[in-house]
Amino acid sequence: MVPPRTVGTVNWGTATVIGVFAGMLYGGSKEASASVSKDAEVMLKLLGSTPDKREQYRLMRDAMEKRFIRVTRGSIVGGVRLGMFTAAFCVLQNLLAEKRGVHDVYNVVGAGSATAATFGLIMPGSLRWRARNVALGSVLGATFCFPLGWLQLKLVEKANEGRLAAASERYDSQEAKSGVGAAIERLEGQLSK
């Protein structure tokens, strides 16, 4: 049996998949835009260096294959990085909400701070550089996540208000139907006598 989720918590699987695709899009587009001018310059040099059409075609094909590999690698690396970050953030946020028993801004702040600090720790560099990245990641994670957590909390409250209003309308309309239905049944009963 799956335990009930706290209202407002994020489905970490869905968020991770979205994070992976967003990271792939970002990483691929970043790598593609970085290599456009460089590729054009290389192509002009290569095509001007040989008069043979087959050699020009081979050089152009090789350059395009290298660009494709760079863009693909950037896309995969970006997807893995953002996907891991998103998964860690959502799991920590849900874990904090479950352990504390309440969904509030501090769950988002704690998850953002811990996730940013962890990713600061795994960045390459000396121990001193990593300690700096952990401290900076912790502060920046909390700073960015506080307004985002507040916004998320307000959006959840607004969504719950709409859900409660819709449920109330449904209940009122069912009551009204039962009242009208009862009146019709009474009328039918009187007419059948």
Side-chain angles (χ1 to χ4, degrees):
M1 184 171 140
V2 177
R5 283 185 4 189
T6 305
V7 175
T9 57
V10 178
N11 183 345
W12 70 270
T14 305
T16 301
V17 169
I18 292 170
V20 167
F21 284 123
M24 289 176 72
L25 183 65
Y26 173 73
S29 62
K30 180 179 148 189
E31 192 63 44
S33 66
S35 63
V36 168
S37 61
K38 185 172 70 170
D39 285 345
E41 187 178 313
V42 169
M43 293 292 282
L44 286 173
K45 286 181 183 177
L46 289 176
L47 294 178
S49 65
T50 179
D52 185 20
K53 291 289 184 192
R54 277 191 270 168
E55 183 67 18
Q56 287 179 355
Y57 176 74
R58 187 188 66 75
L59 291 172
M60 192 164 59
R61 188 188 68 217
D62 288 347
M64 294 305 287
E65 284 175 359
K66 287 178 184 175
R67 181 172 188 217
F68 176 78
I69 290 170
R70 278 195 315 267
V71 170
T72 303
R73 184 180 302 130
S75 180
I76 291 170
V77 168
V80 168
R81 285 179 181 167
L82 190 59
M84 285 175 48
F85 186 85
T86 305
F89 175 78
C90 291
V91 166
L92 282 172
Q93 180 184 357
N94 290 346
L95 185 67
L96 286 171
E98 182 181 324
K99 293 298 179 190
R100 294 180 63 227
V102 64
H103 176 68
D104 60 1
V105 175
Y106 300 113
N107 295 338
V108 179
V109 170
S113 180
T115 305
T118 303
F119 276 85
L121 182 64
I122 63 175
M123 300 271 297
S126 67
L127 187 59
R128 185 176 176 148
W129 183 257
R130 289 181 184 189
R132 177 192 163 276
N133 287 343
V134 167
L136 188 63
S138 179
V139 170
L140 286 177
T143 303
F144 283 120
C145 286
F146 187 79
L148 292 176
W150 181 81
L151 180 66
Q152 180 188 15
L153 191 63
K154 292 302 175 187
L155 289 173
V156 167
E157 287 175 2
K158 197 67 150 168
N160 286 339
E161 286 175 8
R163 191 176 301 139
L164 289 174
S168 175
E169 284 179 18
R170 242 183 286 128
Y171 179 73
D172 290 344
S173 67
Q174 286 175 352
E175 260 188 16
K177 287 179 185 174
S178 65
V180 170
I184 291 173
E185 287 177 8
R186 282 193 309 264
L187 183 62
E188 286 177 347
Q190 290 176 356
L191 291 176
S192 65
K193 287 183 184 179

